[in-house]
Amino acid sequence: MIPPTHCLECNAPLTPAETQGLCARCLLKLGFASQLGGSSLPASPGNSGPPPMMPFSFGDYRIVRLLGKGGMGAVYEAEDTASGRRVALKALGHSLDSPDTRKRFLREGRLAASINHPNTVYVYGTEEIEGAPVITMELIPGGTLQERVKKSGPMPVSEAVDAILQIIAGLEAAHAVGILHRDIKPSNCFIDPSGVVKVGDFGLSISTTSRGDSALTIAGSVLGTPEFSSPEQLRGEALDLRADIYSVGMTLYYLLTAQTAFRGENVVQLLATVLDKAAPSPRTVRPEIPEALAQIILRCLEKQAGDRCKNYDELRRALLPFTSTAPTPATLGRRFLAGVIDTLLLMFLTGFLPIMLSEDLFGMMIQDNETAPGYRWFLAASLLALIAYYAVSEGRWGATPGKALVGLRVGGLDRTAPGIPRALLRALIYLVPAVIATFLNAPVKAHLQAVSIALGALAYLYPLLLALTARRQNGFATMIDLITKTRVIEKAAYQPRESVTQAAEPVGPTEALPMIGAYHVLATLAATERDELVLGYDTKLLRRVWIRKTTADAAPVPAALRNAARPGRLRWLQGQRAESGSWDAFEAAPGTPLTALLATPQLWKNVRHWLLDLATELDAATRDGSLPDTLSLDRVWITAEGGAKLLDFPAPGSAPVAAVEPGIFLNQVAISALEGRLATAEEARTREPRLPIAIRARGVLQKLRIADYPALVEQLKALVRQVPHVTHLRRLGLVAGCMLPALLMLGFMLAGSRFLGTLQRQSPEVTPLMNALIVHSLIAERKLPTSEDPKVSVESAEIFIASRFGNFIRDPKGWNSFMATVGLQPKMRAEAERIVQTYPDPSPAEVKRARAVLAPALDARGNLSLSPDMNSVNTFSTQVVWWAAGGVMVWAALFSLVAGLFRGGLLMRALGIAVVRRDGADASRWRMLWRACVAWSWLPLATFATALLNGAGHSNIAVIIVGLPLLGLLIWSAAIPRRSLPDRLAGTWLVPR
């Protein structure tokens, strides 16, 4: 049989390689038609048999197999015969070929090409082959998330959430350049061999900066897949990123349940369901899905866009507790500190503050419980407030204020907030001593003193008993945690890269510009004797490229590098070696050379990402043999997104730097970036960076010279997940932990003063009687003579006491009051009762003679006193304040000494804070002592001011003048710069441990 010379479909001349009776374009069409379930080719003797077998040639590509179909065409695995690179080639279907659909098809490639992110499929280019428009993309051989679910069933929760977080990262990058995807679904999310998920198929995407694109749709088609499209998208309304968030939520629903939330027997029924019915919880399909995660999904699937997460960052942070990253258990030290902060705060809210605001509570406190039911109600209300404080805050938000300050949270075994019932059980177990004390509370009575002592001891020992089960192996789980099936963990931290948006100058007319291959040359970036780096422009994809012009004898780019698709390396696009011109085109990454940043020290939070990127690339390049011949600082490029790329040529705009061996390259990068100068090779061989950074980071930096890249990558990944510096919240915890005890002590000083004043008003005779009995005792012991005859002096003192206090002593209500019982010792009470019995009714003449004898010991108010002001309750309370003030200052001095001796003390250790010098070394004890003295210097000033104002009778003014500024200092500390005044004066820095 004579082989055909022209295509049986389009009558185009056939090349010698086309032996199947069809040209390459029609073969491509046949592959697309067969994917749709039929062929548009006419029946004829030449094609009546089975479809032609792959592979076959198509332009410069060798079509290997059909991967699948999209909304506008088929996707093939193909090999670029010139470079040997495997790509995914998307071709427009013939049945859809029209000027409008061609425009929309090429627009898809242009939009996708404007995104360059590790979680999006990279577009290499667009072209027309044999009259057919095609898009060449990165080949992802791992399949799609839909194929993964169909093959293995619903994904584990953590694995599904990890995949969604990567999808969010890709969509966030798209949104950053003004693109909405509009067709997010599992079949458009691809998995590469390393497990990275990439978003692809931007066929329905629109540019938010060019609304006219939204009109480019296929006539008669539904925009997007109805099962995954938001209601507003199906209604044809204006869209924003919340439409994509809806699709993300539905994708997560599918990954967890292997089905969508809405189904219908036909498209009309499906659309009606999506538009009108609320999404059922994924727990109805798979009950083991955490309730909190189900609520996040349902929030994404809300009908109204305003009810969904407002941006990707909010959705990401909501999903973080469900990732595969194991939570860090909270140490007992940090839990203890959180408990201290909560206890002090509760003491202030339920004790000191109400009593300071209401004098009636003083009255209730000093009366018998049988006659003061209001006080018992106050105790019950305080207990309920304690329980509610823990149950609501931990159950609803996962953390009390104390735990939040030290960066802890309570979660169930599924890491979600435990809910109010379990948090209530936690609170009741924790507050057992308080519950017992409340029900047994009564004024000081002899038969309850033993119970009070036992309860006091239990209150201190009980937390220790609860912690007996805590082991590192079980995540430091206490009895409370084991009984309630909860855990206290460190709050998950998300530390994004610090990106720098760079707005590129618009490209003008390109017709007159010189060309290299398919690219127009915009400018020369750098030049050497053999090479020249120019900035090119792709007019089809509307993106810039870097073109490295070289000599014809230059070695071609290695195959491993041509196929590399790693974030740490520039993607090779195309190139040639010829006498007429040799060049290689690479992606153009907006950013700056590392050497341009070395004029100032760079922040550790950014450098750690650069080190991770470079270590990851060095590891991968070592494995596949694509390690650059030269490693030097001038070949490190910092991208606008906050990443680092390793170049195979000097970075444009960088100063030349000598090459170093691979073993010290990362250490040289670290020293140079962190110290803000160009480090020499000798420095990179002999030492580590010297600056104040986290203690754990210091240990990793010491290993940069080992060049064990796999281990180093894992350690750097752990550092990237940690907080790089002492946060404002932790600084607030440090200030609060130091300030609250002092504030409470000062507060109780004022409360004690007010308490004495209230007692004096309720029992005004007690203090004068106590002073009179003391004077009587001194007269009887002849230590305070008032006349020549000691007997006369004693008799005069007793007559004065009997006449002045007789009625009070004989009145059972006053004599047995709280003030009289506590203020007067039993010996004094017995002596007073004897005096009244001895002189039951002194005459006025006897009283007059007694006063005359006792005149030297009488104060201005006519009472017996050692000094004129001895019976003044204001003076006495002022002395109490001064005594307490002295105690506060001794306490502050003690803590300053402890901070110096132990380099920070318990509070800093519990908060995970260390104090270092400028070079990163631990601060000396003397430096720590000086820092502590500066930090505590406010306390003597506040104490003396409080005592002076209280002594002047202005206790409430003392609270306002002293307390409010200190409270302001506490709040301000959450927003202070990273170096406080004590640190600046002491030459220290606070860093995480």
Side-chain angles (χ1 to χ4, degrees), residues 358-575:
S358 174
E359 292 187 8
D360 293 337
L361 288 177
F362 282 111
M364 290 189 290
M365 291 178 65
I366 63 177
Q367 297 178 35
D368 193 302
N369 281 355
E370 297 177 359
T371 61
Y375 182 54
R376 292 199 299 274
W377 280 110
F378 169 71
L379 290 178
S382 298
L383 177 61
L384 290 176
L386 290 177
I387 296 174
Y389 176 87
Y390 287 99
V392 174
S393 59
E394 291 186 352
R396 178 66 179 84
W397 299 289
T400 61
K403 288 185 175 66
L405 279 175
V406 298
L408 303 181
R409 65 183 301 272
V410 179
L413 299 182
D414 59 1
R415 308 186 196 176
T416 62
I420 291 181
R422 274 198 292 178
L424 177 61
L425 180 58
R426 284 180 58 91
L428 290 175
I429 297 174
Y430 181 70
L431 296 172
V432 163
V435 173
I436 297 175
T438 299
F439 284 105
L440 295 180
N441 183 269
V444 178
K445 293 182 178 179
H447 65 279
L448 284 178
Q449 286 182 354
V451 175
S452 299
I453 295 174
L455 286 176
L458 178 62
Y460 287 102
L461 294 176
Y462 186 65
L464 299 178
L465 297 176
L466 293 176
L468 289 178
T469 60
R471 301 287 188 279
R472 184 176 295 276
Q473 293 80 357
N474 67 359
F476 299 105
T478 65
M479 290 185 183
I480 295 178
D481 303 325
L482 297 176
I483 293 173
T484 60
K485 295 182 178 180
T486 57
R487 293 294 185 270
V488 181
I489 57 178
E490 292 187 12
K491 188 177 180 181
Y494 171 66
Q495 298 293 324
R497 295 173 184 253
E498 190 172 276
S499 61
V500 180
T501 303
Q502 295 185 347
E505 292 290 332
V507 177
T510 59
E511 292 81 5
L513 296 176
M515 295 189 68
I516 297 178
Y519 308 106
H520 293 270
V521 177
L522 299 179
T524 298
L525 300 176
T528 64
E529 292 181 358
R530 289 181 56 86
D531 298 332
E532 183 181 0
L533 185 65
V534 301
L535 179 64
Y537 188 69
D538 186 336
T539 55
K540 293 181 179 179
L541 297 179
L542 305 182
R543 70 182 180 188
R544 291 166 171 79
V545 297
W546 283 349
I547 304 173
R548 187 188 183 194
K549 298 170 61 177
T550 186
T551 58
D553 60 346
V557 174
L561 193 54
R562 291 198 300 267
N563 289 290
R566 303 188 295 262
R569 208 67 167 266
L570 289 178
R571 291 177 186 265
W572 179 83
L573 302 179
Q574 56 179 296

Side-chain angles (χ1 to χ4, degrees), residues 104-447:
R104 185 171 181 274
F105 181 78
L106 295 176
R107 173 189 145 278
E108 172 190 348
R110 187 177 71 249
L111 288 177
S114 65
I115 310 166
N116 186 2
H117 189 272
N119 295 115
T120 58
V121 175
Y122 188 80
V123 173
Y124 291 113
T126 62
E127 56 185 311
E128 285 196 12
I129 303 176
E130 303 290 341
V134 298
I135 302 173
T136 54
M137 303 174 293
E138 175 185 2
L139 177 64
I140 313 294
T144 67
L145 288 176
Q146 184 181 47
E147 293 170 347
R148 157 69 175 81
V149 171
K150 285 185 176 181
K151 178 181 179 180
S152 305
M155 297 171 65
V157 170
S158 60
E159 184 181 340
V161 172
D162 287 345
I164 290 297
L165 288 176
Q166 295 181 75
I167 293 172
I168 288 174
L171 292 176
E172 202 168 32
H175 186 259
V177 295
I179 294 176
L180 297 179
H181 192 284
R182 299 202 303 175
D183 197 21
I184 288 297
K185 54 187 177 182
S187 60
N188 283 343
C189 301
F190 303 87
I191 311 171
D192 77 0
S194 64
V196 175
V197 179
K198 297 175 180 272
V199 178
D201 198 348
F202 285 80
L204 293 180
S205 301
I206 59 172
S207 171
T208 57
T209 60
S210 180
R211 292 296 183 183
D213 284 349
S214 61
L216 295 173
T217 60
I218 302 175
S221 68
V222 177
L223 273 181
T225 307
E227 294 95 328
F228 295 91
S229 298
S230 66
E232 63 267 27
Q233 183 172 347
L234 297 178
R235 289 191 293 263
E237 299 173 356
L239 303 179
D240 58 23
L241 65 83
R242 292 171 296 183
D244 281 350
I245 285 179
Y246 178 98
S247 301
V248 170
M250 189 63 76
T251 299
L252 180 55
Y253 193 110
Y254 178 86
L255 299 183
L256 292 172
T257 64
Q259 65 184 50
T260 57
F262 303 111
R263 293 178 298 280
E265 296 181 0
N266 52 59
V267 174
V268 174
Q269 191 177 82
L270 175 61
L271 292 177
T273 304
V274 173
L275 293 173
D276 298 331
K277 291 188 178 181
S281 172
R283 287 170 55 85
T284 60
V285 181
R286 189 177 171 189
E288 65 267 25
I289 295 174
E291 175 63 30
L293 179 58
Q295 291 302 318
I296 295 170
I297 296 173
L298 293 178
R299 185 183 176 192
C300 292
L301 301 181
E302 289 286 352
K303 302 299 182 188
Q304 300 300 320
D307 295 330
R308 303 172 200 148
C309 296
K310 62 179 180 293
N311 53 45
Y312 291 119
D313 186 62
E314 181 180 346
L315 178 57
R316 177 191 294 107
R317 293 182 186 278
L319 292 173
L320 280 178
F322 307 98
T323 64
S324 59
T325 303
T328 303
T331 61
L332 293 180
R334 292 181 67 179
R335 294 180 67 170
F336 172 76
L337 177 62
V340 170
I341 294 175
D342 285 325
T343 300
L344 293 176
L345 182 59
L346 285 167
M347 287 173 62
F348 179 81
L349 294 177
T350 62
F352 167 69
L353 186 61
I355 291 173
M356 287 296 292
L357 295 177
S358 174
E359 292 187 8
D360 293 337
L361 288 177
F362 282 111
M364 290 189 290
M365 291 178 65
I366 63 177
Q367 297 178 35
D368 193 302
N369 281 355
E370 297 177 359
T371 61
Y375 182 54
R376 292 199 299 274
W377 280 110
F378 169 71
L379 290 178
S382 298
L383 177 61
L384 290 176
L386 290 177
I387 296 174
Y389 176 87
Y390 287 99
V392 174
S393 59
E394 291 186 352
R396 178 66 179 84
W397 299 289
T400 61
K403 288 185 175 66
L405 279 175
V406 298
L408 303 181
R409 65 183 301 272
V410 179
L413 299 182
D414 59 1
R415 308 186 196 176
T416 62
I420 291 181
R422 274 198 292 178
L424 177 61
L425 180 58
R426 284 180 58 91
L428 290 175
I429 297 174
Y430 181 70
L431 296 172
V432 163
V435 173
I436 297 175
T438 299
F439 284 105
L440 295 180
N441 183 269
V444 178
K445 293 182 178 179
H447 65 279

Side-chain angles (χ1 to χ4, degrees), residues 697-739:
R698 188 195 305 173
V700 176
L701 292 182
Q702 292 172 350
K703 301 176 182 178
L704 291 180
R705 290 173 290 169
I706 300 177
D708 181 2
Y709 296 128
L712 191 58
V713 167
E714 293 304 315
Q715 293 171 339
L716 287 169
K717 283 182 179 179
L719 285 182
V720 166
R721 290 193 294 266
Q722 295 166 0
V723 179
H725 52 260
V726 178
T727 63
H728 289 158
L729 189 62
R730 192 159 298 186
R731 288 178 178 276
L732 178 62
L734 179 61
V735 176
C738 295
M739 184 178 293

Side-chain angles (χ1 to χ4, degrees), residues 718-983:
L719 285 182
V720 166
R721 290 193 294 266
Q722 295 166 0
V723 179
H725 52 260
V726 178
T727 63
H728 289 158
L729 189 62
R730 192 159 298 186
R731 288 178 178 276
L732 178 62
L734 179 61
V735 176
C738 295
M739 184 178 293
L740 282 180
L743 285 177
L744 284 171
M745 191 173 295
L746 291 172
F748 281 113
M749 286 161 40
L750 298 176
S753 174
R754 191 166 185 178
F755 184 67
L756 290 174
T758 302
L759 293 178
Q760 176 65 18
R761 285 189 292 274
Q762 291 186 349
S763 301
E765 303 292 344
V766 173
T767 301
L769 174 58
M770 180 177 63
N771 292 335
L773 290 171
I774 292 174
V775 173
H776 171 267
S777 176
L778 294 175
I779 291 174
E781 296 173 359
R782 299 186 179 183
K783 295 180 180 179
L784 184 63
T786 57
S787 70
E788 296 181 356
D789 188 350
K791 182 178 180 182
V792 171
S793 297
V794 172
E795 182 180 349
S796 298
E798 293 181 351
I799 291 174
F800 174 84
I801 292 173
S803 63
R804 172 70 175 80
F805 303 104
N807 292 334
F808 172 71
I809 296 172
R810 286 188 287 266
D811 179 15
K813 183 177 180 180
W815 188 238
N816 294 322
S817 66
F818 178 83
M819 179 67 171
T821 304
V822 175
L824 298 173
Q825 299 176 4
K827 185 177 180 180
M828 283 186 172
R829 291 174 64 85
E831 182 66 11
E833 291 171 353
R834 182 195 65 78
I835 290 173
V836 171
Q837 290 177 356
T838 304
Y839 301 96
D841 189 19
S843 65
E846 290 176 323
V847 172
K848 185 177 181 180
R849 285 194 300 271
R851 284 183 173 275
V853 173
L854 299 173
L858 295 178
D859 61 15
R861 298 184 181 184
N863 293 319
L864 282 175
S865 177
L866 289 174
S867 67
D869 294 324
M870 188 63 176
N871 65 338
S872 170
V873 69
N874 290 332
T875 300
F876 182 69
S877 64
T878 301
Q879 292 175 352
V880 171
V881 171
W882 279 106
W883 295 336
V888 169
M889 287 183 287
V890 171
W891 177 78
L894 178 62
F895 272 74
S896 297
L897 183 61
V898 169
L901 291 176
F902 298 99
R903 290 195 175 101
L906 177 62
L907 181 61
M908 281 190 173
R909 291 186 177 275
L911 281 170
I913 298 175
V915 183
V916 298
R917 303 194 311 258
R918 179 186 292 274
D919 61 0
D922 293 332
S924 66
R925 289 182 172 86
W926 285 109
R927 193 181 294 266
M928 285 297 303
L929 179 60
W930 166 235
R931 182 190 180 279
C933 290
V934 174
W936 284 104
S937 61
W938 62 270
L939 191 56
L941 299 176
T943 302
F944 278 107
T946 302
L948 290 172
L949 289 170
N950 184 77
H954 304 300
S955 60
N956 291 334
I957 296 178
V959 173
I960 296 173
I961 294 180
V962 178
L964 290 183
L966 292 179
L967 182 61
L969 176 63
L970 183 67
I971 297 173
W972 176 73
S973 65
I976 59 176
R978 290 189 186 140
R979 291 192 69 203
S980 62
L981 180 61
D983 286 313

